[in-house]
Amino acid sequence: TNDAFAPLRAPRLSLAREASAQLAGAVARRGRFSARARSVSARRSGGWDAIQGRWSLTSSLFAAAPNDPAGRRRALAELLLERHGVLTREQVNAEGVAGGFTALYPELTQLETLGIARRGYFVEGLGGAQFAVPGAVERLRERPSLDEQPIVLSAVDPAQPYGAALPWPRRPSQDGVRAPARQAGAQVVLCGGEPIIYLERGGKSLQTLVDADDRRLAPALARLVEHVRAGRGGVRRLSLERVDGQPALASPLQSALLASGFQEGPRRLTLSA
């Protein structure tokens, strides 16, 4: 570990190290040092020393750490409760917890006894044993407004439950179209907790998860455009080739996409930051 952030913030750090290693190897193969090599090496080593900070081994930090599996499970149960608000078997399985929901169930029961969590049947259609923090239960009782602002989340974000705890919504017109998936790089636009748009990884395919006349669709498209133009989430360019399984230029959504800011190109609709 390091006591400074400079090594992480230096964009040329790894390149300089690789170049220094290549230079040292080349010199070793030749069996001689040139004046130029010594000069370059001195300059690079001086820059490296200036930004490397102080490094230390981490083994000593954990040498005296107690082996407490129950404590680790308790900490994990509290972490997942705070992360999801309402914790179900499906969410624990989606997190890839060793031992699954069964391993955490005793700890969750103890948290209920301590008053930290509530047990109940909060979300219909999910597992019968559900635990929640009190604030999340009150939020669930609130009815979401159709005027709520859309948000864009990564498809694998814990706050995006579809594809993990909840199934993706499907429309009859999308039969034969590849279903959305929780993939790194994919984006989901949600409004009031419901998914409106799914953008595949790579930005070449888009699916609408609501009916074409849903009034939340236009604001969701506008938010997606704003998200891309701001360069958020690592998405800086879209080149839509297919929309709801159809060619983008022949899609019924083409006019709405052009109105939201997309540009018409050869066989695709494009949007850049």
Side-chain angles (χ1 to χ4, degrees), residues 75-85 87 92 95 97 104:
L76 181 58
E78 293 181 356
L79 171 66
L80 293 179
L81 272 173
E82 291 293 333
R83 176 180 295 172
H84 294 284
L87 191 62
V92 174
E95 292 277 0
V97 176
L104 294 184

Side-chain angles (χ1 to χ4, degrees), residues 15-52:
L15 295 178
R17 177 167 34 182
E18 182 180 355
S20 297
Q22 291 176 353
L23 177 62
V27 170
R29 285 192 297 271
R30 293 193 190 100
R32 62 186 178 84
F33 286 91
S34 66
R36 177 175 176 81
R38 287 197 301 271
S39 175
V40 172
S41 178
R43 290 198 300 270
R44 286 180 176 169
S45 63
W48 171 258
D49 291 337
I51 63 173
Q52 70 175 355

Side-chain angles (χ1 to χ4, degrees), residues 5 48 167 179 195 260:
F5 286 104
W48 171 258
S260 65

Side-chain angles (χ1 to χ4, degrees), residues 175-260:
D175 292 342
V177 180
R178 184 170 58 182
R182 292 178 66 90
Q183 294 180 339
Q187 306 287 321
V188 183
V189 186
L190 301 102
C191 184
E194 296 185 24
I196 309 299
I197 294 173
Y198 175 82
L199 179 69
E200 286 190 5
R201 178 175 58 186
K204 294 184 178 181
S205 178
L206 180 144
Q207 290 186 45
T208 57
L209 304 177
V210 294
D211 294 332
D213 58 352
D214 195 303
R215 70 177 190 174
R216 297 172 295 179
L217 186 56
L221 287 173
R223 181 53 59 93
L224 179 62
V225 170
E226 177 186 344
H227 183 81
V228 173
R229 285 179 171 170
R232 302 190 186 105
V235 181
R236 302 187 61 85
R237 178 178 175 80
L238 301 182
S239 297
L240 290 180
E241 298 178 359
R242 304 192 71 80
V243 176
D244 291 333
Q246 302 180 17
L249 296 181
S251 168
L253 203 62
Q254 178 190 10
S255 58
L257 290 167
L258 293 175
S260 65

Side-chain angles (χ1 to χ4, degrees), residues 147-191:
D147 297 326
E148 187 171 340
Q149 291 296 319
I151 59 173
V152 183
L153 292 177
S154 168
V156 296
D157 194 302
Q160 197 291 106
Y162 294 90
L166 299 175
W168 293 99
R170 298 287 289 173
R171 294 189 292 143
S173 59
Q174 293 179 336
D175 292 342
V177 180
R178 184 170 58 182
R182 292 178 66 90
Q183 294 180 339
Q187 306 287 321
V188 183
V189 186
L190 301 102
C191 184

